[in-house]
Amino acid sequence: GGPPGSAGYWYHVTEELVLPDATVRKKGEKTDKSNTFIILYHEAFHQYIHYSAGKLSPHSWFNEGYGDFFSGADISGGKVKKIGPNPWRVATIKKAVEDRKHVPLADIIHFEQRDYYRNASLCYAEGWSLIYFLNTSKAAQRHKVWSEILPVYFETLKASWAEQLERLEAEGKAEDATAKLAAQKEAREAAVDAAFEDVDIWELQKAWMDFVAEIPDPKERR
């Protein structure tokens, strides 16, 4: 029921969260359930963000990036012990950055879902790495402006969408699908404009690229 090539999906219309049992069982080796949980944590984030954002999907770098970010969660005893790199994404983004074939950050932060899906493998890896950088890099956390990108984006998204919904209601277009899609895009653009308003995007990109180059690939340690 999900898009072609998807490992799982959250579908808000039917309120379905669907994923396979991706457990790997090999004779003589410990059963590996990690891929199942990677998919579960990713899709469960989409379910969470759908309602917390007011039934509005954020830009894909934020939405898919955070889904992959939480896929790196190490949970024990019902608590998150740490969030490490997503093993599905590391090699792809490291190779793209090394070869200078990544999408410029100035472009990807504005990508709508259709743009993101045109090169899904790269964009998913890049979206994850940007979220991972902003959440875990000391350079980002200590930076007065960079450390506010994610919270400003999300708070502006919710506020702008609430304003758009009020406008649609006042104009009698609350059930107009075309008007609603345009309003959703306006809310997303307001959020990304606010989040990156004072950001030197090229300085940010340089720091992100340096960070990506140093991310250890979990698959290489297996």
Side-chain angles (χ1 to χ4, degrees):
S6 59
Y9 64 90
W10 154 250
Y11 186 42
H12 69 276
V13 176
T14 55
E15 297 185 336
E16 289 182 315
L17 194 160
V18 180
L19 65 149
D21 177 358
T23 303
V24 176
R25 296 177 176 87
K26 293 183 180 179
K27 188 175 181 179
E29 296 183 15
K30 185 178 179 181
T31 299
D32 183 2
K33 297 183 178 181
S34 60
N35 284 333
T36 300
F37 285 100
I38 284 173
I39 300 167
L40 173 61
Y41 298 157
H42 180 108
E43 300 306 331
F45 173 78
H46 290 326
Q47 183 179 26
Y48 160 78
I49 205 73
H50 173 74
Y51 296 111
S52 61
K55 299 183 179 180
L56 167 69
S57 294
H59 278 102
S60 291
W61 67 268
F62 187 97
N63 198 3
E64 302 296 351
Y66 253 120
D68 275 341
F69 175 73
F70 286 114
S71 287
D74 180 3
I75 299 177
S76 179
K79 295 182 179 180
V80 178
K81 293 173 62 178
K82 64 178 181 179
I83 295 181
N86 182 312
W88 289 12
R89 308 301 181 199
V90 177
T92 300
I93 192 58
K94 286 175 73 72
K95 177 65 173 171
V97 166
E98 181 182 351
D99 294 343
R100 300 299 191 265
K101 292 184 177 180
H102 57 279
V103 181
L105 294 189
D107 295 335
I108 200 169
I109 59 174
H110 292 282
F111 274 9
E112 289 292 303
Q113 188 182 63
R114 64 181 178 277
D115 305 311
Y116 211 75
Y117 279 16
R118 286 193 182 106
N119 193 349
S121 178
L122 172 60
C123 288
Y124 267 72
E126 187 163 333
W128 162 75
S129 67
L130 179 56
I131 296 295
Y132 190 66
F133 166 73
L134 291 172
N135 274 306
T136 68
S137 163
K138 290 182 180 179
Q141 290 298 294
R142 292 171 180 171
H143 197 286
K144 183 178 179 181
V145 178
W146 299 353
S147 61
E148 292 299 312
I149 289 173
L150 297 176
V152 167
Y153 178 91
F154 191 45
E155 293 306 315
T156 305
L157 181 77
K158 291 186 291 184
S160 181
W161 179 229
E163 292 173 2
Q164 290 290 341
L165 286 174
E166 287 184 8
R167 178 182 63 79
L168 290 173
E169 187 69 34
E171 295 175 357
K173 296 180 179 179
E175 302 302 322
D176 184 324
T178 301
K180 202 167 185 178
L181 285 172
Q184 290 173 342
K185 186 173 182 179
E186 283 191 42
R188 282 191 288 269
E189 284 302 305
V192 82
D193 287 347
F196 290 90
E197 181 178 12
D198 298 319
V199 174
D200 182 330
I201 198 69
W202 301 110
E203 179 188 3
L204 177 69
Q205 179 165 285
K206 173 62 167 59
W208 162 75
M209 292 174 69
D210 291 343
F211 176 81
V212 166
E214 299 300 322
I215 298 176
D217 189 341
K219 290 184 177 180
E220 293 180 355
R221 297 186 304 219
R222 290 183 178 180

